[in-house]
Amino acid sequence: MEADAPLRETGADDDLVRLKVTVNGRRHEGEASKKLTILENIEKMQLPIRSSCRRGRCGSCRVRVLSGALRDNGVRLNGYVLSCSSYLEGDGDILLPY
């Protein structure tokens, strides 16, 4: 009889991904939650990111997604997405344009 594999609890760890953010030429890495917007995750990493309306209208929070799958509101501006309304589906690599 084979030993049963230990059961893995589902929970918060299932929602965590790796996030790489390049800002002002410096690369930062940290943990991010799939439940938070890209904007909220970058703020949680205590990195400077511009934002204004936080509703996907003004465009001040736009970032370039270098790699990674995401859910967004379909608004893409010349290769950029609005971080206030976009969510990571897995590990991501983000470039802030300033």
Side-chain angles (χ1 to χ4, degrees):
M1 183 171 160
E2 292 181 34
D4 291 334
L7 293 176
R8 184 170 171 254
E9 288 186 37
T10 58
D13 288 346
D14 293 337
D15 295 319
L16 297 178
V17 295
R18 297 295 303 161
L19 177 59
K20 298 175 186 174
V21 180
T22 303
V23 58
N24 295 325
R26 296 192 60 166
R27 190 169 194 75
H28 306 271
E29 290 189 42
E31 237 175 28
S33 170
K34 292 180 186 178
K35 293 181 178 181
L36 299 176
T37 64
I38 293 174
L39 173 65
E40 292 167 329
N41 278 302
I42 291 173
E43 289 174 335
K44 189 176 168 189
M45 292 172 69
Q46 299 181 343
L47 297 174
I49 182 168
R50 296 179 187 152
S51 68
S52 185
C53 76
R54 302 180 79 88
R55 289 179 279 166
R57 293 189 179 149
C58 72
S60 67
C61 68
R62 72 187 182 284
V63 298
R64 183 179 295 272
V65 178
L66 301 176
S67 69
L70 54 101
R71 291 185 331 265
D72 60 23
N73 63 0
V75 176
R76 297 198 180 220
L77 310 165
N78 298 323
Y80 291 87
V81 298
L82 301 177
S83 65
C84 70
S85 56
S86 299
Y87 297 81
L88 294 167
E89 292 274 313
D91 295 346
D93 193 352
I94 306 292
L95 173 67
L96 274 60
Y98 40 85

